[in-house]
Amino acid sequence: MFGYGLLGLIILIGGYLVWAYNALVSNKNFVAEGWSGIDVQLRRRADLIPNLIETVKGYASHEDKLFRDIAELRAKSISGGTVGEQSAVGQAMSAALGKLFAVAEAYPELKADANFRDLQDKLSGIEDEIQMSRRYYNGAVRNLNTMIESFPTNLIATQFKFGKAEFFEIGDAAAREVPKVDFKN
């Protein structure tokens, strides 16, 4: 009777080990899938930027420094890098594009240009997709990291060298702050 109990316990522990390992692999793949989604959207944005710059250049050719900065950020975005590096480049790209649209505000004929409006709408859609992809990726990272840090799966994760994944975060501390709204003025 003791032998059957011991055999049952060994089978139970072995089954758990297999389940835990497979769950870690699955979560690792979800993280890779999430990063792939972010990467696709970042590349879509990078592909749209030259058209946007050329359209704005026709109206605001004196903004050369801004155009160079955006081109440099686009090149960094395309070259890839770690999650942290891509996060920082993405944040800088969003800020630079914000400046570009601020420049466009000074040119009513540019804002009325159908091509510019179309590019602006596409970019807005891509930014929304980046945010959704970022949320999915960060959720997958959270799940993987929780498994890696939780007992007893942390023993399996350590044994098979599963590493924690990095969150795709907003690098600018000012962007995290809650805006102050004052309706008294």
Side-chain angles (χ1 to χ4, degrees):
M1 190 54 107
F2 177 73
Y4 288 125
L6 186 58
L7 180 63
L9 183 61
I10 290 171
I11 290 172
L12 189 64
I13 290 172
Y16 175 77
L17 292 174
V18 168
W19 172 84
Y21 178 82
N22 288 338
L24 285 164
V25 169
S26 177
N27 281 313
K28 181 180 168 190
N29 288 334
F30 285 142
V31 169
E33 175 191 8
W35 179 250
S36 174
I38 290 173
D39 191 47
V40 165
Q41 298 308 323
L42 292 175
R43 291 199 185 278
R44 283 183 61 209
R45 177 171 69 179
D47 291 344
L48 185 65
I49 287 172
N51 295 335
L52 187 62
I53 288 176
E54 287 304 315
T55 302
V56 175
K57 265 186 184 178
Y59 293 91
S61 58
H62 60 282
E63 297 289 342
D64 284 339
K65 182 180 178 343
L66 177 60
F67 298 144
R68 282 193 309 275
D69 290 346
I70 291 173
E72 180 181 315
L73 288 169
R74 178 181 181 269
K76 286 180 183 176
S77 177
I78 290 173
S79 68
T82 66
V83 173
E85 292 168 347
Q86 283 294 315
S87 180
V89 169
Q91 186 68 29
M93 180 68 78
S94 293
L97 290 173
K99 290 177 187 174
L100 183 68
F101 287 122
V103 166
E105 289 295 318
Y107 298 91
E109 61 277 4
L110 173 59
K111 289 186 340 185
D113 184 279
N115 188 33
F116 177 74
R117 285 194 323 264
D118 180 52
L119 291 169
Q120 194 173 22
D121 289 343
K122 285 180 183 175
L123 186 61
S124 176
I126 290 171
E127 292 295 328
D128 290 343
E129 290 290 328
I130 290 171
Q131 292 307 314
M132 287 190 311
S133 297
R134 189 177 125 226
R135 282 192 295 272
Y136 176 84
Y137 171 79
N138 284 341
V141 167
R142 179 199 62 229
N143 293 343
L144 175 65
N145 289 349
T146 299
M147 282 196 78
I148 288 173
E149 294 176 346
S150 298
F151 181 80
T153 53
N154 65 339
L155 301 174
I156 297 164
T158 302
Q159 182 67 30
F160 290 101
K161 297 180 179 35
F162 283 90
K164 288 177 61 176
E166 188 177 355
F167 285 99
F168 190 85
E169 298 181 306
I170 297 175
D172 183 12
R176 293 185 199 167
E177 292 180 13
V178 177
K180 294 178 183 173
V181 179
D182 185 9
F183 291 111
K184 294 178 184 174
N185 292 334

